[in-house]
Protein backbone atom coordinates (compact mmCIF):
# COMPACT_ATOMS: atom_id res chain seq x y z
CA UNK A 1 0.00 0.00 0.00
CA UNK A 2 1.39 3.40 -0.96
CA UNK A 3 2.25 5.58 2.01
CA UNK A 4 0.62 8.99 2.33
CA UNK A 5 3.06 11.89 2.18
CA UNK A 6 3.23 14.59 4.84
CA UNK A 7 1.73 17.93 3.84
CA UNK A 8 4.63 19.72 5.55
CA UNK A 9 8.20 19.94 4.34
CA UNK A 10 10.40 17.73 6.52
CA UNK A 11 13.49 19.71 7.33
CA UNK A 12 15.62 17.09 9.07
CA UNK A 13 15.87 13.75 10.82
CA UNK A 14 18.05 13.95 13.92
CA UNK A 15 19.70 10.81 15.28
CA UNK A 16 20.81 10.81 18.90
CA UNK A 17 23.11 7.87 19.30
CA UNK A 18 26.42 6.17 19.64
CA UNK A 19 29.30 6.52 17.21
CA UNK A 20 31.69 3.93 18.59
CA UNK A 21 29.94 1.19 20.47
CA UNK A 22 32.66 1.01 23.09
CA UNK A 23 32.96 4.71 23.68
CA UNK A 24 29.86 6.56 24.55
CA UNK A 25 26.64 7.98 23.13
CA UNK A 26 25.00 11.35 22.68
CA UNK A 27 22.59 11.09 25.58
CA UNK A 28 23.53 8.04 27.69
CA UNK A 29 26.63 6.90 29.57
CA UNK A 30 27.41 3.90 27.40
CA UNK A 31 29.33 1.87 29.98
CA UNK A 32 26.89 2.53 32.83
CA UNK A 33 23.72 0.47 32.65
CA UNK A 34 20.61 2.59 32.04
CA UNK A 35 22.34 5.86 32.89
CA UNK A 36 21.41 9.09 31.10
CA UNK A 37 23.99 11.82 30.58
CA UNK A 38 21.65 14.51 31.94
CA UNK A 39 23.92 17.43 31.05
CA UNK A 40 24.41 16.24 27.47
CA UNK A 41 20.71 15.54 26.99
CA UNK A 42 19.76 18.98 28.24
CA UNK A 43 22.33 20.66 25.97
CA UNK A 44 21.28 18.64 22.93
CA UNK A 45 17.60 19.41 23.56
CA UNK A 46 18.40 23.12 23.84
CA UNK A 47 20.37 23.08 20.58
CA UNK A 48 17.55 21.27 18.79
CA UNK A 49 15.13 23.96 19.99
CA UNK A 50 17.44 26.74 18.81
CA UNK A 51 17.79 25.12 15.38
CA UNK A 52 14.17 24.26 14.68
CA UNK A 53 12.14 26.78 16.71
CA UNK A 54 13.71 29.99 15.36
CA UNK A 55 11.64 32.47 17.38
CA UNK A 56 12.26 30.75 20.71
CA UNK A 57 14.62 31.79 23.47
CA UNK A 58 15.37 30.28 26.85
CA UNK A 59 13.22 33.01 28.35
CA UNK A 60 10.04 32.38 26.36
CA UNK A 61 10.05 28.58 26.27
CA UNK A 62 6.66 27.06 27.09
CA UNK A 63 7.49 23.92 29.04
CA UNK A 64 5.42 20.90 28.08
CA UNK A 65 6.44 18.39 30.75
CA UNK A 66 3.81 18.87 33.42
CA UNK A 67 4.42 15.61 35.25
CA UNK A 68 5.69 15.51 38.79
CA UNK A 69 9.45 15.24 38.92
CA UNK A 70 11.57 13.52 41.55
CA UNK A 71 12.15 15.88 44.46
CA UNK A 72 9.17 18.09 43.64
CA UNK A 73 6.16 18.25 45.91
CA UNK A 74 3.77 19.69 43.32
CA UNK A 75 3.13 19.74 39.60
CA UNK A 76 4.04 23.00 37.79
CA UNK A 77 1.98 26.03 38.82
CA UNK A 78 2.44 28.05 35.61
CA UNK A 79 -0.12 26.14 33.54
CA UNK A 80 -2.91 28.72 33.98
CA UNK A 81 -0.57 31.46 32.75
CA UNK A 82 -0.29 29.80 29.32
CA UNK A 83 -3.85 30.29 28.12
CA UNK A 84 -3.08 33.38 26.06
CA UNK A 85 0.46 32.43 25.06
CA UNK A 86 0.99 31.84 21.32
CA UNK A 87 2.56 28.54 20.34
CA UNK A 88 5.93 29.06 18.64
CA UNK A 89 6.08 27.74 15.11
CA UNK A 90 8.70 25.06 14.63
CA UNK A 91 10.11 23.50 11.50
CA UNK A 92 9.09 19.90 10.90
CA UNK A 93 11.65 17.34 11.97
CA UNK A 94 11.92 13.87 13.47
CA UNK A 95 14.12 12.60 16.28
CA UNK A 96 15.33 9.00 16.35
CA UNK A 97 17.53 7.65 19.12
CA UNK A 98 19.45 4.47 19.75
CA UNK A 99 19.42 2.47 22.95
CA UNK A 100 22.82 3.54 24.28
CA UNK A 101 23.16 2.00 27.74
CA UNK A 102 19.45 1.10 27.61
CA UNK A 103 18.26 -2.08 25.92
CA UNK A 104 21.56 -3.37 24.50
CA UNK A 105 22.41 -5.29 27.67
CA UNK A 106 18.98 -6.91 27.94
CA UNK A 107 18.88 -7.83 24.25
CA UNK A 108 22.38 -9.31 24.09
CA UNK A 109 22.03 -11.31 27.32
CA UNK A 110 18.79 -12.90 26.18
CA UNK A 111 19.59 -13.22 22.47
CA UNK A 112 16.51 -11.29 21.32
CA UNK A 113 18.29 -10.25 18.12
CA UNK A 114 18.74 -13.92 17.18
CA UNK A 115 15.05 -14.76 17.60
CA UNK A 116 13.27 -17.68 19.24
CA UNK A 117 10.35 -16.36 21.29
CA UNK A 118 9.46 -19.93 22.26
CA UNK A 119 12.41 -19.90 24.66
CA UNK A 120 11.59 -18.36 28.06
CA UNK A 121 14.85 -16.38 28.21
CA UNK A 122 14.22 -14.74 24.83
CA UNK A 123 10.62 -13.87 25.63
CA UNK A 124 11.64 -12.38 28.98
CA UNK A 125 14.47 -10.51 27.28
CA UNK A 126 12.08 -9.13 24.65
CA UNK A 127 9.90 -7.66 27.40
CA UNK A 128 12.92 -6.40 29.37
CA UNK A 129 14.42 -4.78 26.27
CA UNK A 130 11.22 -2.92 25.47
CA UNK A 131 10.83 -1.74 29.06
CA UNK A 132 14.35 -0.35 28.90
CA UNK A 133 14.20 1.38 25.50
CA UNK A 134 10.75 2.87 26.07
CA UNK A 135 11.85 4.28 29.43
CA UNK A 136 14.75 6.03 27.65
CA UNK A 137 12.35 7.28 24.98
CA UNK A 138 10.16 8.82 27.66
CA UNK A 139 13.08 10.68 29.21
CA UNK A 140 14.16 12.09 25.85
CA UNK A 141 10.59 13.17 25.08
CA UNK A 142 10.42 14.88 28.47
CA UNK A 143 13.71 16.69 27.91
CA UNK A 144 12.57 17.99 24.53
CA UNK A 145 9.18 18.93 25.98
CA UNK A 146 10.87 21.00 28.69
CA UNK A 147 12.44 22.99 25.86
CA UNK A 148 9.00 23.72 24.44
CA UNK A 149 9.26 21.13 21.66
CA UNK A 150 5.91 19.32 21.18
CA UNK A 151 7.49 15.88 21.10
CA UNK A 152 5.55 12.61 20.89
CA UNK A 153 7.17 9.25 21.67
CA UNK A 154 6.49 6.52 19.08
CA UNK A 155 7.60 2.90 19.36
CA UNK A 156 8.11 0.88 16.15
CA UNK A 157 6.66 -2.24 17.80
CA UNK A 158 3.48 -0.42 18.78
CA UNK A 159 3.20 1.11 15.29
CA UNK A 160 3.26 -2.38 13.74
CA UNK A 161 6.78 -2.31 12.32
CA UNK A 162 8.20 -5.79 11.74
CA UNK A 163 11.00 -7.63 9.92
CA UNK A 164 11.75 -10.83 8.03
CA UNK A 165 15.14 -12.30 8.86
CA UNK A 166 16.09 -8.90 10.33
CA UNK A 167 15.19 -7.02 7.14
CA UNK A 168 12.35 -4.55 7.48
CA UNK A 169 9.12 -5.72 5.83
CA UNK A 170 6.36 -3.64 7.43
CA UNK A 171 6.73 -0.03 8.56
CA UNK A 172 3.49 1.91 8.72
CA UNK A 173 4.44 5.59 9.00
CA UNK A 174 0.87 6.91 8.85
CA UNK A 175 0.92 7.98 12.52
CA UNK A 176 4.30 9.64 12.04
CA UNK A 177 2.85 11.65 9.16
CA UNK A 178 -0.30 12.53 11.09
CA UNK A 179 1.80 13.71 14.03
CA UNK A 180 3.94 15.94 11.78
CA UNK A 181 0.89 17.38 10.04
CA UNK A 182 -0.64 18.16 13.46
CA UNK A 183 2.49 20.07 14.46
CA UNK A 184 4.10 17.43 16.69
CA UNK A 185 7.66 16.14 16.61
CA UNK A 186 7.80 12.31 16.47
CA UNK A 187 10.51 10.72 18.61
CA UNK A 188 11.22 7.11 17.57
CA UNK A 189 13.74 4.64 18.92
CA UNK A 190 15.49 1.35 18.24
CA UNK A 191 13.14 -1.39 19.38
CA UNK A 192 12.51 -5.10 19.80
CA UNK A 193 10.11 -6.17 17.06
CA UNK A 194 8.48 -9.32 15.67
CA UNK A 195 10.16 -11.15 12.78
CA UNK A 196 8.24 -13.49 10.46
CA UNK A 197 11.09 -16.00 10.15
CA UNK A 198 12.96 -15.89 13.45
CA UNK A 199 10.02 -14.65 15.56
CA UNK A 200 11.77 -11.56 16.92
CA UNK A 201 14.81 -9.33 16.51
CA UNK A 202 16.15 -5.82 17.17
CA UNK A 203 15.27 -3.03 14.77
CA UNK A 204 18.05 -0.42 14.93
CA UNK A 205 17.54 3.31 14.96
CA UNK A 206 19.72 3.53 11.86
CA UNK A 207 17.38 1.26 9.88
CA UNK A 208 14.45 3.35 11.06
CA UNK A 209 16.13 6.52 9.83
CA UNK A 210 16.87 5.03 6.42
CA UNK A 211 13.25 4.01 5.96
CA UNK A 212 11.91 7.37 7.12
CA UNK A 213 14.39 9.19 4.88
CA UNK A 214 13.35 7.14 1.85
CA UNK A 215 9.65 7.77 2.47
CA UNK A 216 9.67 11.38 3.68
CA UNK A 217 12.73 12.85 1.90
CA UNK A 218 14.11 15.25 4.55
CA UNK A 219 16.50 17.98 3.43
CA UNK A 220 19.30 16.42 5.47
CA UNK A 221 20.04 13.97 8.30
CA UNK A 222 22.20 14.72 11.34
CA UNK A 223 23.80 12.07 13.57
CA UNK A 224 24.72 13.62 16.93
CA UNK A 225 27.31 11.64 18.87
CA UNK A 226 29.32 12.31 21.98
CA UNK A 227 31.94 10.99 24.31
CA UNK A 228 32.85 11.97 27.83
CA UNK A 229 36.41 10.64 27.75
CA UNK A 230 37.46 11.21 24.12
CA UNK A 231 37.05 14.16 21.79
CA UNK A 232 35.26 12.07 19.16
CA UNK A 233 34.02 14.40 16.41
CA UNK A 234 32.83 12.04 13.70
CA UNK A 235 34.03 8.95 11.80
CA UNK A 236 37.73 8.05 11.99
CA UNK A 237 39.93 5.90 9.77
CA UNK A 238 40.57 3.63 12.76
CA UNK A 239 39.38 3.42 16.38
CA UNK A 240 39.93 6.95 17.76
CA UNK A 241 41.86 5.63 20.77
CA UNK A 242 44.66 4.49 18.47
CA UNK A 243 47.60 6.84 17.82
CA UNK A 244 47.37 8.70 14.54
CA UNK A 245 43.61 8.22 14.10
CA UNK A 246 42.40 10.62 11.40
CA UNK A 247 38.97 12.27 11.32
CA UNK A 248 37.28 11.54 8.00
CA UNK A 249 35.83 14.84 6.84
CA UNK A 250 33.89 13.76 3.77
CA UNK A 251 32.70 10.47 2.29
CA UNK A 252 31.35 10.17 -1.25
CA UNK A 253 28.67 7.59 -2.05
CA UNK A 254 28.36 6.13 -5.55
CA UNK A 255 25.31 4.98 -7.46
CA UNK A 256 25.89 1.34 -6.49
CA UNK A 257 25.96 2.24 -2.77
CA UNK A 258 29.72 1.84 -2.37
CA UNK A 259 31.61 4.68 -0.75
CA UNK A 260 35.10 6.15 -0.50
CA UNK A 261 36.91 8.78 1.53
CA UNK A 262 37.20 12.10 -0.31
CA UNK A 263 38.65 14.30 2.41
CA UNK A 264 41.28 14.14 3.76
CA UNK A 265 43.47 12.13 1.42
CA UNK A 266 44.57 9.19 3.55
CA UNK A 267 48.28 8.40 3.41
CA UNK A 268 47.82 4.64 3.20
CA UNK A 269 44.92 4.09 0.78
CA UNK A 270 45.61 0.35 0.66
CA UNK A 271 44.63 -0.04 4.29
CA UNK A 272 40.85 -0.27 4.75
CA UNK A 273 39.03 1.96 7.21
CA UNK A 274 38.67 0.04 10.47
CA UNK A 275 35.67 0.01 12.79
CA UNK A 276 35.12 -1.64 16.15
CA UNK A 277 31.99 -3.47 17.25
CA UNK A 278 31.21 -4.00 20.91
CA UNK A 279 30.40 -7.53 22.04
CA UNK A 280 27.04 -6.39 23.44
CA UNK A 281 25.93 -4.50 20.32
CA UNK A 282 23.05 -6.27 18.58
CA UNK A 283 22.57 -3.91 15.63
CA UNK A 284 25.72 -4.34 13.53
CA UNK A 285 28.06 -1.69 14.90
CA UNK A 286 29.82 1.04 13.00
CA UNK A 287 29.94 -0.77 9.65
CA UNK A 288 26.14 -0.99 9.66
CA UNK A 289 25.88 2.68 10.59
CA UNK A 290 28.06 3.83 7.70
CA UNK A 291 26.21 1.52 5.31
CA UNK A 292 22.85 2.92 6.44
CA UNK A 293 24.17 6.50 6.14
CA UNK A 294 25.47 5.72 2.64
CA UNK A 295 22.04 4.42 1.62
CA UNK A 296 20.50 7.69 2.81
CA UNK A 297 23.10 9.75 0.93
CA UNK A 298 22.37 7.71 -2.20
CA UNK A 299 18.87 9.23 -2.10
CA UNK A 300 20.47 12.65 -2.53
CA UNK A 301 20.10 13.47 1.17
CA UNK A 302 23.23 14.77 2.89
CA UNK A 303 24.20 13.06 6.16
CA UNK A 304 26.27 14.89 8.78
CA UNK A 305 27.91 13.12 11.74
CA UNK A 306 29.27 15.41 14.43
CA UNK A 307 29.70 15.85 18.16
CA UNK A 308 26.61 16.77 20.16
CA UNK A 309 26.58 19.97 22.18
CA UNK A 310 29.15 21.84 20.07
CA UNK A 311 29.21 24.69 17.57
CA UNK A 312 29.69 22.01 14.92
CA UNK A 313 26.37 20.38 15.81
CA UNK A 314 24.65 23.77 15.77
CA UNK A 315 25.84 24.32 12.19
CA UNK A 316 24.74 20.84 11.13
CA UNK A 317 21.28 21.16 12.69
CA UNK A 318 20.69 24.63 11.26
CA UNK A 319 21.30 23.49 7.68
CA UNK A 320 24.34 25.74 7.37
CA UNK A 321 26.33 22.91 5.76
CA UNK A 322 24.00 22.60 2.78
CA UNK A 323 25.87 25.43 1.12
CA UNK A 324 29.21 23.65 1.50
CA UNK A 325 31.44 22.25 4.23
CA UNK A 326 33.61 25.01 5.76
CA UNK A 327 37.20 24.18 6.70
CA UNK A 328 36.57 24.94 10.37
CA UNK A 329 33.65 22.51 10.67
CA UNK A 330 34.60 19.27 12.40
CA UNK A 331 32.60 16.19 11.65
CA UNK A 332 31.94 13.76 8.80
CA UNK A 333 29.78 14.66 5.82
CA UNK A 334 28.42 11.77 3.72
CA UNK A 335 27.15 12.84 0.29
CA UNK A 336 26.02 11.35 -2.98
CA UNK A 337 28.54 11.60 -5.81
CA UNK A 338 26.74 11.77 -9.17
Amino acid sequence: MEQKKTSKRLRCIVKLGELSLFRGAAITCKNKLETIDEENLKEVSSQIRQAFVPESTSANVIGMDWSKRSGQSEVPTFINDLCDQPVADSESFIVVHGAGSFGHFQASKSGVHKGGLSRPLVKAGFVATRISVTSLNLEIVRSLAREGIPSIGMSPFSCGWSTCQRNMTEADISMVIKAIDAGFIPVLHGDAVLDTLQECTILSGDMIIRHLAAELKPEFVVFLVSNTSLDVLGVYDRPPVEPGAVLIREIAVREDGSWSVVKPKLEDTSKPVEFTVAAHDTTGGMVTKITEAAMIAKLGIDVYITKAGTDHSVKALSGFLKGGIPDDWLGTAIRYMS
Side-chain angles (χ1 to χ4, degrees):
M1 183 176 66
E2 185 178 353
Q3 298 274 14
K4 175 191 170 188
K5 303 300 180 183
T6 175
S7 63
K8 293 187 176 182
R9 181 192 67 171
L10 185 63
R11 177 70 166 162
C12 176
I13 299 177
V14 183
K15 169 69 188 296
L16 309 180
E18 61 273 25
L19 178 61
S20 172
L21 278 300
F22 283 116
R23 303 180 181 89
I27 37 80
T28 70
C29 301
K30 187 66 179 183
N31 296 321
K32 296 181 180 179
L33 180 63
E34 297 192 344
T35 302
I36 294 174
D37 187 326
E38 299 284 356
E39 184 176 343
N40 244 17
L41 178 55
K42 183 177 180 180
E43 178 65 23
V44 167
S45 299
S46 176
Q47 286 194 344
I48 289 175
R49 172 184 57 77
Q50 293 170 51
F52 298 112
V53 192
E55 302 301 319
S56 70
T57 66
S58 57
N60 67 7
V61 164
I62 298 177
M64 299 182 185
D65 178 12
W66 297 354
S67 51
K68 182 178 177 181
R69 301 292 293 172
S70 176
Q72 293 180 338
S73 58
E74 299 178 354
V75 297
T77 58
F78 57 78
I79 296 175
N80 292 334
D81 299 331
L82 300 178
C83 295
D84 299 322
Q85 290 282 345
V87 177
D89 289 331
S90 66
E91 297 194 64
S92 296
F93 65 100
I94 295 172
V95 174
V96 179
H97 64 86
S101 62
F102 291 70
H104 277 308
F105 171 80
Q106 292 87 344
S108 63
K109 286 294 183 182
S110 60
V112 168
H113 57 296
K114 299 177 182 179
L117 280 175
S118 58
R119 291 178 294 176
L121 176 62
V122 176
K123 181 163 286 186
F126 190 98
V127 173
T129 299
R130 296 212 68 251
I131 289 172
S132 187
V133 296
T134 54
S135 66
L136 174 60
N137 181 256
L138 175 60
E139 291 307 310
I140 292 173
V141 167
R142 295 178 82 165
S143 180
L144 293 169
R146 287 194 288 273
E147 288 292 330
I149 297 171
S151 49
I152 299 292
M154 293 187 173
S155 294
F157 177 87
S158 301
C159 290
W161 292 33
S162 61
T163 61
C164 178
Q165 210 164 14
R166 307 182 73 172
N167 295 311
M168 193 182 305
T169 53
E170 292 187 41
D172 184 357
I173 62 170
S174 59
M175 283 307 299
V176 173
I177 292 171
K178 288 178 181 178
I180 292 172
D181 287 345
F184 293 108
I185 305 303
V187 183
L188 291 86
H189 59 87
D191 203 0
V193 297
L194 300 179
D195 187 282
T196 54
L197 279 185
Q198 62 180 51
E199 298 183 318
C200 65
T201 193
I202 298 297
L203 180 64
S204 73
D206 302 299
M207 288 184 66
I208 293 169
I209 288 179
R210 176 156 67 92
H211 181 75
L212 291 173
E215 292 291 332
L216 300 177
K217 302 295 190 299
E219 292 185 35
F220 54 93
V221 172
V222 178
F223 285 68
L224 296 180
V225 297
S226 189
N227 192 287
T228 55
S229 59
L230 292 171
D231 195 23
V232 176
L233 299 165
V235 179
Y236 289 76
D237 66 334
R238 71 199 74 177
V241 290
E242 293 187 7
V246 176
L247 174 65
I248 297 174
R249 303 290 301 279
E250 190 167 353
I251 292 174
V253 180
R254 304 180 187 88
E255 179 64 32
D256 63 1
S258 63
W259 54 271
S260 59
V261 177
V262 174
K263 184 179 180 182
K265 296 295 184 182
L266 300 179
E267 292 182 6
D268 186 0
T269 57
S270 64
K271 183 178 181 181
V273 177
E274 299 177 2
F275 301 117
T276 56
V277 181
H280 61 265
D281 182 46
T282 59
T283 58
M286 198 62 205
V287 174
T288 298
K289 295 177 189 304
I290 296 298
T291 301
E292 295 290 343
M295 294 299 289
I296 295 170
K298 187 181 171 183
L299 300 170
I301 302 167
D302 287 358
V303 178
Y304 310 120
I305 303 174
T306 192
K307 185 173 182 178
T310 64
D311 291 340
H312 310 298
S313 58
V314 171
K315 289 181 178 179
L317 290 168
S318 66
F320 179 79
L321 304 179
K322 290 287 289 181
I325 308 298
D327 291 338
D328 62 350
W329 183 76
L330 297 179
T332 302
I334 304 177
R335 293 172 151 179
Y336 175 68
M337 178 179 66
S338 57

